[in-house]
Amino acid sequence: MYKAVRARLRALVCGMRSARRDAGMVTSEYAMGLVAAVGFAVLLYQVVTSEAVTAQLHDMVKRALSAGM
């Protein structure tokens, strides 16, 4: 039984070591993820600052501030 436990523990440790080597993104994946995030942020900024959305946000804030308690 001791040998079986030891073999299982060794397999787990080796598995953890190999998982650690592939745990993160490589530089090219990181760069592509960063470019995609920046592109999404620019798109979101343009949508939020558009006239239609700005007008709706102003209207929503005015209604919230003028609401009676």
Side-chain angles (χ1 to χ4, degrees):
M1 176 145 169
Y2 177 72
K3 289 182 181 181
V5 172
R6 192 170 171 159
R8 179 70 178 145
L9 184 60
R10 186 179 308 123
L12 287 172
V13 169
C14 290
M16 288 173 51
R17 285 183 186 157
S18 66
R20 263 188 287 179
R21 279 186 254 140
D22 296 334
M25 293 190 298
V26 294
T27 304
S28 60
E29 291 171 341
Y30 182 75
M32 292 304 294
L34 188 61
V35 168
V38 169
F40 182 71
V42 168
L43 179 67
L44 185 61
Y45 177 77
Q46 288 182 350
V47 167
V48 170
T49 57
S50 68
E51 286 187 31
V53 174
T54 304
Q56 288 180 354
L57 287 174
H58 281 289
D59 184 48
M60 190 183 313
V61 170
K62 282 181 187 178
R63 282 188 285 135
L65 292 176
S66 66
M69 291 198 170

